[in-house]
């Protein structure tokens, strides 16, 4: 039983980060109906920038701040240069364009910072906490990850449901023409959605970097898990993305713990396939996703 | 007053509007009628800024609106209620309504929305429900309410009768007429349903193949059987 | 002439493809082994991309998972040719052709299953499912180390027409080490022998640590990939994502063209790997030789040059696949696919089943993918999860987009670009005094920027550009 709990606790951390990436994908999807494959590439790039700031100043907080700003700016750049012109195209056009951005960002990062994995120091201890005489697979750093993720999710939910800005963003996403006719500056809202997604991705990148290593390709696999979580969650639902993001992390941890690490992607694939067969629009998709 | 001067629009080689000029005075309804493809919707979409005109202009109370973005045109006081289901089904009734005035200070917005809820009590009852739970007529009320949220001086209505029962159509159009008089709005109404439209309008304009072929009082046009046969096909 | 014959496209298409086959076969024996190797790769890509043209271009379903379907073909080919060589089929002796046919059958079955799953899905959900397949399916191999070789994969011998050929591992290693450096230089650096860089690259190549070094980024055409940290089974664990060894290179298409692109060979980590070459090879690598020796022009005991034989198989399969694809595309089925893509409701009202049309596109593209996978297996003389990773799936998409989404000729152009572009970019970068870190990643950057530019400027790809250029020429007043 305790091993089971250990696995679950371990899964929560990676699940939280997968949830953040899924959240970023959902934000972009909601604003522009595009699945942004470049999201993890943007996160990787901004995390490198955060690492530079960390190395220069020694401050994790400043690094996070730099990552956030860089994430927003990079999100805006990708949107303005690539996706805004592409929007008129079909799904495959946007998928291919974002994929092109991903490859370009990875190559650029490899050119600038090299392919070798670099370590990103955590702001608080990343050692297992000792509670009640035994060491649990959860550290103060994990706690920080949970708290930041929870705060972000709550803040985003409030933004979308309780503010004029959130309403403008939702209207722009659902029906750009009606939004324009209502006086909403739709292009600004879409760009804001991309910037916001960039920020969330940057947070995810800075949070995962200390427990992982940072290299141009180090977030690739997270893209697939986050994508799975976002798709299973219905792509439109913030709550779905978070729930299935964390869920994916837990499943991965349990499969890795009890079975073999190599089985994890198969299990994720099976979950994805079953969900899509039962509900082709995702578990939280189609009509149920209004609230958030 | 909305004044359209020599407005032309082309889609590629097709000329959708050819030097259209018309005047929409405040306090009354001006109806544009014509068959499918006459250029009515293009006229409305161009006035609202969704389509860029090739030449010509439109002025709202002396200010040029052509060439500006839809978002800016709304701010000058001209609101288009587009054809078909122009409410957003995923949003609640209240959210749909508030959309129209998000750019205004929140105090003004709240005052206007209270006014609109008084005008359409059914919307007030259903404010927390998703807008796709409304009936067709209620949805059209919501769309009009949203347009009113920007405190317009000019309303553009594109085929409000589409898909509605005749009784509801009459109600909606009478409401539009009442709005024009009480709020001193310049209302431009596009309709295929000529008889009903001319009943609430003061002036009638007949369009065919992108041009204005006849302007007259609503009574004149409604009485002219030849015109009806030639351009309206009914 | 009877009408059925006059209307038959077979009459035109069959001679066309026989002619193409003859020309390519002739070319194959005229050029150096390295070019034959490139030819084999390009024909293999083209085969798979004919399927992508039908699936993505005609049927309008974006697949990020056709590399996994290639894995199905590759593994069926490998397993049948390894285990069933003594089993007579229909009274005939076992023959590699049987393996290819079984591979195709495997592809059809896999395509049917995936197509049934996918037919109801819209754009991003379909992309999600196929991406999941691209990641999940190859790692199934890791589950069956006995039959499928686990994450290390299986080594093959190249099946020869006249029997008796078997690779003696030790001899092959010797051959690899002794094989002339020039050929290896060529393999590593592109079409022309580049002096210093490439030769140092080749020396890195031959050190055992490089072959298996855990620090080297994945490069599927080299054995390092096979055993390295990059095999999906390893990399998909959360801890591996964080692992110090560089994980998957999976999203870079340059990987796929593998040994032809120097980028992956000469990255700093690779060089460090070579520096610490004392480290013992942790995994037995019986296969290393076969791959390193691949582009070296080994003359087999049957009198063939290995690459030429591989290329001739690849070319033959590509020509057959192209012939079938062209007949499908230009025939009734092609119109059905397009009708469903453009307006499923209208198609349904005309008596076409949209679901059946979508599933059939998946089955056909899967068949071609599996055939290409079988060819790929015999080019690599190896199958493994790393070789058929996400990078392969995505590079197929890249190739189809670059060439032109709806065009079979575009698929051929895309295949040539996939093979040739990395080398071309490296040559262009040449001696500009840029650091390795920059030049090595240039091909990947070029891929990425090209993808974006193609979508932004020329959504029809190369074929679209050619088409509009042609129209401009012909409609000139």
């Amino acid at each position: 039983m305790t091993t089971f709990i250990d696995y679950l606790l371990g899964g929560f951390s990676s699940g939280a980060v997968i949830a953040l990436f899924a959240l970023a994908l959902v934000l972009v999807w909601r604003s522009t109906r595009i699945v942004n494959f470049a999201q993890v590439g943007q996160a990787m790039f901004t995390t490198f920038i955060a690492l530079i700031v960390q190395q220069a100043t020694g401050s994790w907080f400043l690094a996070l701040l730099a990552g956030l700003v860089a994430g927003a700016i990079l999100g805006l750049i990708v949107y303005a240069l690539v996706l805004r012109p592409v929007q008129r195209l079909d799904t495959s056009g946007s998928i291919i364009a974002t994929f092109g951005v991903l490859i370009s960002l990875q190559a650029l990062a490899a050119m600038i910072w090299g392919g070798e994995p670099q370590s990103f120091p955590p702001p608080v201890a990343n050692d297992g906490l000792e509670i009640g005489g035994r060491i649990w697979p959860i550290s103060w750093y994990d706690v920080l990850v949970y708290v930041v993720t929870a705060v972000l999710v709550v803040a985003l939910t409030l933004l979308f449901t309780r503010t004029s800005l959130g309403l403008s963003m939702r209207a722009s996403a659902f029906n750009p023409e009606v939004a324009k006719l209502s006086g909403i500056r739709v292009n600004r809202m879409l760009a804001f959605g991309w910037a916001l997604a960039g920020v969330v991705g940057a947070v995810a990148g800075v949070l995962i970097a200390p427990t992982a290593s940072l290299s141009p390709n180090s977030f690739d696999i997270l893209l697939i898990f986050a994508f799975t979580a976002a798709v299973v969650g219905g792509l439109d639902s913030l709550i779905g993305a978070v729930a299935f993001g964390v869920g994916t992390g837990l499943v991965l941890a349990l499969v890795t713990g009890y079975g073999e690490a190599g089985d994890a992607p198969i299990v994720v694939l099976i979950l994805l396939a079953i969900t899509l067969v039962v509900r082709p629009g995702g578990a939280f998709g189609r009509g149920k996703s209004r609230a958030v | 007053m909305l004044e359209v001067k020599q407005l032309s629009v082309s889609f590629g080689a097709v000329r959708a509007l050819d030097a259209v000029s018309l005047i929409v005075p405040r306090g009354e309804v001006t109806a544009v009628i014509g068959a499918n493809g006459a250029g009515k919707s293009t006229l409305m979409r161009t006035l609202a800024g969704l389509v860029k005109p090739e030449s010509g202009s439109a002025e709202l109370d002396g200010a040029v609106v052509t060439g500006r973005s839809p978002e800016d045109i709304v701010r000058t006081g001209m609101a288009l209620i587009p054809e078909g289901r122009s409410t957003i089904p995923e949003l609640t009734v209240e959210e749909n309504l508030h959309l129209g005035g998000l750019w205004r200070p929140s105090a003004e917005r709240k005052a206007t929305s209270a006014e609109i809820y008084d005008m359409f009590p059914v919307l007030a009852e259903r404010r927390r429900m998703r807008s796709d739970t409304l009936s067709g007529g209620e949805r059209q009320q919501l769309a009009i309410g949203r347009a009113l949220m920007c405190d317009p001086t000019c309303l553009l209505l594109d085929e409000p009768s589409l898909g509605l029962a005749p009784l509801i159509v009459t109600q909606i159009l009478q409401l539009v007429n009442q709005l024009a008089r009480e709020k001193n709005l310049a209302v431009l109404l596009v309709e295929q349903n000529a008889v009903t439209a001319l009943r609430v309008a003061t002036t009638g304009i007949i369009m065919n193949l992108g041009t204005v072929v006849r302007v007259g009082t609503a009574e004149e046009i409604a009485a002219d059987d030849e015109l009806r046969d030639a351009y309206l096909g009914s | 002439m009877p009408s059925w014959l006059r209307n038959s496209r077979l009459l035109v298409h069959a001679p066309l493809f026989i002619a193409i086959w003859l020309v390519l076969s002739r070319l194959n024996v005229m050029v150096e082994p390295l070019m034959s190797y490139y030819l084999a790769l390009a024909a293999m890509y083209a085969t798979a991309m004919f399927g992508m043209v039908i699936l993505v271009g005609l049927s309008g379903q974006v697949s990020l998972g056709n590399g996994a379907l290639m894995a199905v073909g590759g593994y069926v080919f490998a397993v049948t040719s390894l285990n069933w060589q003594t089993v007579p089929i229909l009274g005939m002796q076992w023959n590699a052709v049987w393996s290819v046919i079984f591979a195709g059958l495997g592809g059809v079955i896999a395509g049917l299953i995936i197509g049934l799953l996918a037919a109801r899905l819209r754009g991003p959900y379909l992309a999600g499912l196929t991406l999941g397949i691209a990641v999940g399916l190859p790692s199934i191999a890791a589950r069956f180390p006995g039959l499928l070789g686990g994450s290390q994969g299986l080594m093959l011998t190249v099946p020869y027409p006249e029997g008796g050929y078997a690779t003696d591992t030790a001899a092959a290693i010797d051959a690899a080490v002794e094989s002339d450096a020039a050929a290896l230089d060529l393999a590593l650096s592109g079409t022309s022998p580049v002096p210093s860089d490439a030769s140092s690259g080749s020396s890195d190549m031959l050190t055992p640590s490089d072959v298996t070094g855990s620090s080297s980024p994945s490069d599927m055409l080299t054995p390092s990939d096979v055993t390295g940290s990059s095999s999906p089974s390893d990399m998909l664990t959360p801890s591996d994502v964080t692992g110090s060894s560089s994980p998957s290179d999976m999203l870079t298409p340059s990987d796929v063209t593998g040994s032809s692109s120097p980028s992956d060979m000469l990255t700093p980590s690779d060089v460090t790997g070579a520096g610490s070459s004392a480290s013992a090879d942790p995994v037995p690598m019986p296969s290393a030789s076969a791959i390193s020796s691949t582009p070296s022009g080994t003359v087999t005991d049957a009198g063939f040059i290995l690459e030429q034989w591989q290329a001739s198989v690849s070319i033959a399969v590509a020509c057959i696949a192209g012939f079938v694809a062209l007949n499908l595309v230009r025939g009734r089925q092609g119109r059905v696919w397009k009708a469903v893509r453009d307006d499923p409701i209208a198609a349904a009202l005309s008596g076409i089943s949209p679901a059946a049309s979508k599933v059939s596109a998946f089955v056909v593209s899967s068949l071609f993918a599996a055939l290409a996978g079988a060819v790929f297996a015999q080019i690599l003389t190896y199958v493994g999860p790393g070789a058929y990773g996400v990078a392969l799936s995505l590079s197929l998409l890249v190739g189809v987009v670059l060439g032109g989404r709806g065009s079979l000729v575009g698929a051929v152009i895309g295949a040539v670009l996939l093979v040739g572009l990395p080398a071309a970019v490296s040559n262009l970068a040449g001696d500009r005094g840029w650091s390795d870190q920059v030049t090595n990643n240039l091909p990947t950057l070029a891929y990425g920027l090209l993808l974006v530019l193609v979508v932004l400027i020329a959504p029809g790809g190369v074929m679209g550009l050619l088409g509009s250029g042609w129209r401009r020429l012909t409609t000139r007043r």
Side-chain angles (χ1 to χ4, degrees), chain C residues 257-319:
Chain C
T257 50
S259 62
S260 62
S261 91
S263 65
D264 294 305
M265 303 269 127
L266 298 174
T267 51
S269 59
D270 242 359
V271 175
T272 24
S276 62
S277 60
S279 66
D281 183 349
V283 187
M285 274 305 303
S287 57
S289 56
I291 293 165
S292 345
S293 67
T294 295
S296 67
T298 316
V299 177
T300 66
D301 50 1
F304 285 84
I305 293 173
L306 185 67
E307 290 74 23
Q308 284 181 357
W309 165 248
Q310 290 168 326
S312 67
V313 171
S314 189
I315 289 165
V317 171
C319 284

Side-chain angles (χ1 to χ4, degrees), chain A residues 86 90 92 96 99 102-104 110-112 114 117 211-213 217-218 220-221 224 227 234 261 263 265 272 277 280-281, chain C residues 62 117 120 124-125 128 135 143 236-237 241-244 248-251 394 401 405 437-438 441-442 444 448-449 456:
Chain A
V86 169
D90 51 353
S92 42
I96 293 156
F99 175 53
L102 173 63
I103 296 178
S104 307
M111 283 179 176
I112 301 171
T211 58
S213 62
N217 294 97
S218 53
D220 287 355
I221 200 64
I224 286 148
F227 190 40
D263 296 343
L272 178 68
V277 165
Chain C
V62 177
L117 281 175
R120 299 204 306 157
Y125 297 100
V135 175
R143 206 71 197 91
L236 291 175
T237 65
V241 172
T242 72
S244 63
S248 66
D249 235 339
M250 55 175 212
L251 293 177
L394 294 178
V401 171
R405 261 180 270 174
Q437 199 165 305
V438 172
N441 289 293
L442 268 181
T444 315
L449 295 180
L456 287 186

Side-chain angles (χ1 to χ4, degrees), chain C residues 394-464:
Chain C
L394 294 178
S395 70
L396 293 179
L397 188 63
V398 172
V400 165
V401 171
L402 291 187
R405 261 180 270 174
S407 156
L408 294 174
V409 181
V412 175
I413 295 174
V416 172
L417 284 178
L418 277 184
V419 175
L421 201 66
V425 171
S426 301
N427 281 353
L428 273 181
D431 298 315
R432 302 268 165 102
W434 294 338
S435 69
D436 283 352
Q437 199 165 305
V438 172
T439 48
N440 293 341
N441 289 293
L442 268 181
T444 315
L445 185 64
Y447 268 133
L449 295 180
L450 263 179
L451 267 191
V452 174
L453 286 178
V454 162
V455 173
L456 287 186
I457 296 165
V462 173
M463 283 310 285

Side-chain angles (χ1 to χ4, degrees), chain B residues 120-135:
Chain B
F120 306 113
V122 72
L123 297 185
E125 280 165 33
R126 312 220 166 154
R127 58 204 288 171
R128 302 257 173 242
M129 293 168 75
R130 273 176 65 128
S131 67
D132 55 1
T133 61
L134 298 182
S135 72

Side-chain angles (χ1 to χ4, degrees), chain C residues 162-179:
Chain C
E162 284 143 54
Y165 175 80
T167 309
D168 178 15
T169 307
I173 291 174
D174 288 347
V177 174
E178 286 163 17
S179 64

Side-chain angles (χ1 to χ4, degrees), chain B residues 169-190:
Chain B
V169 172
T170 310
Q171 279 176 8
I172 295 270
L173 291 182
Q174 273 164 2
L175 175 89
V176 168
N177 182 296
Q178 189 190 338
L179 276 173
R181 281 183 284 119
E182 286 176 3
K183 293 182 156 274
N184 194 27
L185 299 178
V187 176
L188 185 60
L189 169 70
V190 153

Side-chain angles (χ1 to χ4, degrees), chain A residues 27-290:
Chain A
L27 285 174
V28 163
W29 172 258
R30 288 176 67 130
S31 72
T32 47
R33 301 281 127 179
I34 285 170
V35 173
N36 183 14
F37 284 91
Q39 199 74 61
V40 291
Q42 289 168 235
M44 172 274 297
F45 211 85
T46 50
T47 309
F48 264 112
I49 291 171
L51 178 62
I52 291 172
V53 172
Q54 206 280 334
Q55 285 165 345
T57 63
S59 160
W60 184 84
F61 186 74
L62 280 181
L64 177 67
L65 211 61
L68 299 187
V69 174
I73 293 173
L74 191 56
L76 281 177
I77 292 175
V78 172
Y79 171 71
L81 289 188
V82 182
L83 275 310
R84 207 178 139 186
V86 169
Q87 268 177 55
R88 275 161 271 118
L89 292 176
D90 51 353
T91 317
S92 42
S94 60
I95 288 174
I96 293 156
T98 55
F99 175 53
V101 173
L102 173 63
I103 296 178
S104 307
L105 283 175
Q106 289 179 337
L108 266 183
M111 283 179 176
I112 301 171
W113 295 295
E116 242 180 315
Q118 307 196 21
S119 63
F120 197 120
V124 290
N126 197 13
D127 306 315
L129 290 178
E130 195 182 318
I131 303 169
R134 82 175 275 252
I135 292 173
W136 298 79
I138 174 173
S139 66
W140 280 119
Y141 187 72
D142 291 325
V143 174
L144 179 74
V145 172
Y146 304 151
V147 170
V148 172
T149 306
V151 167
L152 257 182
V153 171
V154 171
L156 286 173
T157 308
L158 290 179
L159 170 74
F160 274 106
T161 53
R162 296 291 157 85
T163 68
S164 296
L165 181 63
L167 179 55
S168 301
M169 289 179 71
R170 281 191 293 155
S172 305
F174 289 132
N175 193 332
E177 190 170 296
V178 167
K180 273 184 195 164
L181 292 174
S182 304
I184 295 167
R185 307 222 181 261
V186 171
N187 279 327
R188 254 183 236 176
M189 290 305 129
L190 304 188
F192 184 74
W194 276 76
L196 201 59
V199 168
V200 174
V203 173
V206 171
L207 285 182
I208 189 87
T211 58
S213 62
L214 182 59
S215 76
N217 294 97
S218 53
F219 297 157
D220 287 355
I221 200 64
L222 285 172
L223 166 70
I224 286 148
F225 293 146
F227 190 40
T228 303
V231 163
V232 172
L235 274 177
D236 258 323
S237 162
L238 298 182
I239 284 191
V242 173
F244 283 97
V246 173
T248 307
L250 294 180
V251 168
L252 290 177
L254 291 180
V255 170
T256 313
Y258 285 109
E260 275 178 48
D263 296 343
I266 308 172
V267 172
V268 170
L269 171 63
I270 291 169
L271 285 180
L272 178 68
I274 291 174
T275 316
L276 289 180
V277 165
V278 178
R279 287 191 68 94
F284 280 43
R286 296 255 173 97
K288 285 190 176 178
S289 60
R290 193 204 61 77

